[in-house]
Amino acid sequence: MSGESAVRIGALLPDVLNTYSDGGNVTVLAQRLRWRGVPVEISTVTVDMVPPVGCDLYVLGGGEDAAQVFAADWLRRHRHLCAALAENAMTLAVCAGLQVLGGWMEDSHGRRHAGAEILDLTTERGCRRAVGEVVTWCALPDVGALTGFENHRGATALGPGTAPLGRVLRGTGNETAGRGEGVLTDHIVGTYLHGPVLARNPALADALLHAVTGRALQPLDLPDQAAVRADRLSPRRRWPGLLTPERAGESIARIREHRSRRYREEAPHGIARDRRQGPGRHDDGG
Amino acid sequence: MTSSRVRAVRDPRAAVRAAWTETVVLAGRIACSLSRGLRLGAGGVVGGRVVLALEPKALSVLTRGRRVVLVSGTNGKTTTAHLLASALRTLGPVAHNASGANMPDGLVAALVDDRSARYAVLEVDELYLAGVADAVHPAVLVLSNLSRDQLDRGFEVHAVAEGVSAAIAAHPGTVVVANADDPLVVGAVTGADRVVWVAAGAEWQADAVGEAPARPEVRWSVDGSGVRGPEGTTPLRLSLPGRFNRGNATLAMAAAGALGVAQPDAAAAFAGVTSVSGRYALVDRGPHTLRLLLGKNPAGWGELLPILGNAPALLFVVNAHEADGRDTSWLWDVPFEQLPARPTVASGEQAADIGLRLSYAEVDHRTEPDPLAALDLLPAGEVQVVANYTAFLSLRRRLARKAAP
């Protein structure tokens, strides 16, 4: 391992785009590399800096209207960074971070502001604010269900040929036809999910890290991870979610089986919304 | 007796209104006792709801003729209101929503409880501030700080600040006691006619980026020697821990000063406040002595971590009900990385969320959703407990039940 070059992570504008605690995504990525013996360098890029263009992985978070317009202008001023995001590096963009990479977005007064024009998508102001838990099925292979918390009023329309990151099973997502959530290109993973999304979905974190390092990553076993996911993925989510790890494991296995069966059946025609039904037999605690 | 009858003859409509108010208050009290009798809860808020259902203008009716102080902001409002109420009691009886129920129903319940008090100290949820201020015409408004909290309800910090700003603009006669160290507060208050600026401290600045209003000149500040105010320096002997509580005390002293309480009198009253609706209280349970701390959001937890300094054991309890904010992402804004190693348990309905956060911060811990069962995993002696809102309330209730014979 010695001499291995560090993975460089660029945390973009955490001073502007971190209202919804998406900075945790950087923590998750860095720790998952360190725990596997891969060295990490984190560049925290604030508004007053000239952004480095040589990072392997960039991370953008969510923020409020004014912050978002500011971030979009900042990106437009740094065209070299935009080129790096579009062509060289991998990028995770969350919520406002996703919107600013598109063509334009509307603020709360309905005014349009130009985005960085890296992604073929536009965001109108939706008819209502989407707030709550979301479950999607991720388009990336082997990632499975994504869980997160959305809190936005953007209705994001993807251009032709641009694919969503996942299909919404529960929650709102992009709030446009097709029940898509987020956006997925060869270089960019965009999503509305907070949580932070990579803390909730380690498989998505590892998919990004795999794309960056090009190496197989051995699994990590974090004691509370299964319960965090099971609490949100359970088709009969209960409050309070007092779940033991054993029950969490069972529950996840059940969901996986159920989902994969359904997706095999329905995938070509788009995915039906979760009707909160259990997979046939559903003995809970019996 | 005679005088009220005379008034009744002169203005029968006023008499009817007064009788209606009494009826409504009585209904509220009955609802309270029923709720308490049936053990549905402490009862106050239910009474408030009944009164508001029968008389939507109850807040305005019940504060008529009283001098009202509103205390708002994201963090520290309950403590500041308790300290302020203790200081105002040196002038006379004070109605106060001491439980921390700070939405209109809780405010009404406190006002119904004490009809005669000339003063009212009301802690108000910052999202309700504008409506409440319109109803009660406050003499004084205390604004501690503004930061991210329950964003599933407030949506955006700056929108909350704009609401506060509008509330202040609508009441030019109100004296605003404001924290000059919080740029969002300064932005919201600037333009108000009568402002008393206080340097109350603000560690958390992450929501104020791009806000660069000049820091106003302060009339009140605090340091190791005590509170500096217009009367000079008054030593501060607080029973409550933490630097942030010295800031809260300074805000309270400035607000009390606006209503005529001398600095030394306020300081003496503050010394008698040892716990604030159960917060900071020491509770013995079996082999453990628990110190209960409430942390509702990243700014609050960030202020608490340093005072956990030498605690031998830690218990973190986190829920995600509506009153807590249903999104637990905020845990990732708390710098748990700075915690030294010691026996630690992650607990509450969201035990796994805080447990996962601790794992990524490399804080060795165990995870047990039930906080009382979690105690059994910790060594005997002192345990510092940090819980968020509903987790704190439910733990207090269960501890009280266990302690009862």
Side-chain angles (χ1 to χ4, degrees):
Chain A
M1 292 271 168
S2 65
E4 187 175 7
S5 67
V7 170
R8 288 160 299 168
I9 300 178
L12 296 179
L13 303 182
D15 49 344
V16 178
L17 295 179
N18 188 27
T19 306
Y20 303 95
S21 313
D22 300 309
N25 289 322
V26 177
T27 310
V28 170
L29 289 166
Q31 289 290 56
R32 296 184 77 82
L33 286 170
R34 287 191 198 112
W35 288 334
R36 286 151 166 153
V38 181
V40 189
E41 270 172 34
I42 299 175
S43 301
T44 302
V45 184
T46 52
V47 294
D48 49 348
M49 291 168 63
V50 176
V53 294
C55 291
D56 304 295
L57 182 53
Y58 289 94
V59 181
L60 277 160
E64 306 184 347
D65 271 358
Q68 181 179 4
V69 172
F70 183 92
D73 291 345
W74 184 89
L75 282 168
R76 290 172 67 84
R77 281 203 307 277
H78 295 104
R79 295 314 305 188
H80 295 298
L81 175 65
C82 291
L85 298 184
E87 284 152 28
N88 301 327
M90 290 298 296
T91 299
L92 172 71
V94 179
C95 199
L98 152 71
Q99 295 180 10
V100 299
L101 298 183
W104 48 261
M105 63 263 168
E106 276 178 2
D107 66 15
S108 59
H109 305 287
R111 281 188 301 255
R112 285 186 184 179
H113 299 271
E117 295 172 346
I118 298 170
L119 291 171
D120 183 13
L121 58 84
T122 56
T123 303
E124 287 180 23
R125 184 170 162 78
C127 50
R128 65 184 175 88
R129 197 170 178 97
V131 184
E133 287 290 335
V134 187
V135 179
T136 72
W137 191 257
C138 185
L140 282 164
D142 301 325
V143 171
L146 296 178
T147 147
F149 194 97
E150 64 183 339
N151 189 351
H152 64 95
R153 199 172 171 170
T156 296
L158 306 182
T162 306
L165 174 65
R167 291 280 169 202
V168 176
L169 304 170
R170 196 184 305 169
T172 302
N174 292 350
E175 210 189 348
T176 45
R179 296 202 62 75
E181 196 291 315
V183 61
L184 179 64
T185 70
D186 289 344
H187 288 277
I188 297 174
V189 169
T191 179
Y192 274 109
L193 306 187
H194 304 291
V197 63
L198 298 186
R200 295 259 196 111
N201 304 287
L204 183 61
D206 285 351
L208 281 164
L209 294 176
H210 174 71
V212 168
T213 61
R215 54 185 256 183
L217 300 160
Q218 74 265 30
L220 294 171
D221 186 23
L222 294 177
D224 301 299
Q225 187 80 68
V228 163
R229 287 180 63 74
D231 181 33
R232 274 74 182 213
L233 294 180
S234 161
R236 296 164 57 193
R237 182 165 193 235
R238 279 163 304 182
W239 293 98
L242 297 178
L243 278 167
T244 60
E246 293 74 40
R247 276 186 31 217
E250 281 169 26
S251 175
I252 282 189
R254 218 159 50 206
I255 291 166
R256 276 207 186 119
E257 188 201 345
H258 174 48
R259 297 265 189 266
S260 59
R261 199 171 54 227
R262 200 148 82 189
Y263 285 99
R264 275 199 303 276
E265 288 160 8
E266 300 184 14
H269 311 290
I271 286 141
R273 193 175 175 188
D274 173 38
R275 290 173 202 85
R276 294 193 171 225
Q277 284 166 357
R281 286 179 60 86
H282 207 296
D283 293 337
D284 221 352
Chain B
M1 280 305 249
T2 333
S3 69
S4 73
R5 204 174 299 144
V6 169
R7 220 182 300 138
V9 171
R10 275 192 195 150
D11 186 355
R13 273 162 48 198
V16 170
R17 269 204 306 271
W20 173 240
T21 303
E22 292 313 311
T23 312
V24 166
V25 165
L26 185 66
R29 288 204 172 130
I30 290 170
C32 274
S33 4
L34 269 178
S35 147
R36 283 188 190 121
L38 297 171
R39 291 176 187 274
L40 294 174
V45 174
V46 172
R49 270 181 210 156
V50 168
V51 171
L52 275 173
L54 296 171
E55 171 56 276
K57 289 183 184 160
L59 265 178
S60 163
V61 172
L62 291 167
T63 49
R64 210 165 279 155
R66 310 203 213 205
R67 303 205 78 186
V68 181
V69 185
L70 298 182
V71 181
S72 199
T74 307
N75 285 323
K77 48 188 181 285
T78 303
T79 304
T80 305
H82 271 258
L83 293 170
L84 177 56
S86 78
L88 290 184
R89 283 199 187 95
T90 62
L91 302 176
V94 177
H96 171 211
N97 54 337
S99 68
N102 60 17
M103 300 195 191
D105 43 11
L107 271 52
V108 165
L111 293 165
V112 164
D113 250 6
D114 193 337
R115 297 286 308 285
S116 60
R118 271 187 56 222
Y119 295 94
V121 173
L122 300 176
E123 162 195 343
V124 189
D125 181 283
E126 55 276 25
L127 299 180
Y128 285 93
L129 180 61
V132 170
D134 288 345
V136 308
H137 300 291
V140 180
L141 165 65
V142 183
L143 199 54
S144 56
N145 51 61
L146 293 167
S147 70
R148 64 188 65 169
D149 182 34
Q150 296 183 51
L151 289 178
D152 59 326
R153 200 165 66 91
F155 304 142
E156 296 195 347
V157 184
H158 286 81
V160 174
E162 277 170 31
V164 170
S165 182
I168 289 168
H171 297 274
T174 300
V175 175
V176 183
V177 175
N179 183 0
D181 289 334
D182 185 323
L184 277 178
V185 168
V186 175
V189 170
T190 298
D193 291 339
R194 305 167 69 191
V195 187
V196 178
W197 289 110
V198 178
E203 286 290 283
W204 183 267
Q205 300 277 347
D207 291 315
V209 171
E211 303 281 323
R215 183 176 180 277
E217 203 166 304
V218 296
R219 295 239 308 268
W220 297 76
S221 61
V222 63
D223 60 22
S225 59
V227 174
R228 273 174 224 275
E231 299 167 42
T233 300
T234 307
L236 200 54
R237 280 182 305 278
L238 287 184
S239 311
L240 309 176
R243 204 191 46 75
F244 55 97
N245 276 330
R246 295 177 73 79
N248 291 336
T250 311
L251 283 167
M253 200 180 277
L259 292 170
V261 180
Q263 287 177 213
D265 294 347
F270 292 173
V273 178
T274 52
S275 92
V276 172
S277 33
R279 307 169 192 186
Y280 312 109
L282 288 173
V283 180
D284 285 317
R285 183 183 174 277
H288 297 107
T289 301
L290 317 182
R291 193 187 225 339
L292 302 180
L293 301 165
L294 175 74
K296 291 189 289 192
N297 45 45
W301 282 66
E303 296 271 19
L304 288 172
L305 291 188
I307 71 172
L308 302 178
N310 302 315
L314 296 175
L315 173 60
F316 296 132
V317 198
V318 173
N319 286 356
H321 292 265
E322 194 182 352
D324 304 306
R326 288 169 293 146
D327 179 9
T328 53
S329 299
W330 61 271
L331 288 168
W332 291 77
D333 281 334
V334 182
F336 289 107
E337 284 82 0
Q338 64 179 246
L339 280 178
R342 71 194 71 189
T344 301
V345 182
S347 186
E349 291 164 12
Q350 304 306 127
D353 282 321
I354 182 157
L356 185 64
R357 171 70 188 101
L358 292 174
S359 292
Y360 273 103
E362 299 187 341
V363 174
D364 205 11
H365 67 279
R366 298 173 76 177
T367 305
E368 166 54 58
D370 181 333
L372 293 185
L375 281 175
D376 298 334
L377 303 175
L378 290 168
E382 192 192 322
V383 180
Q384 301 268 354
V385 184
V386 185
N388 71 343
Y389 191 65
T390 66
F392 185 90
L393 293 185
S394 125
L395 179 60
R396 263 187 71 204
R397 219 175 294 136
R398 292 180 65 194
L399 286 169
R401 214 180 294 151
K402 292 269 172 185

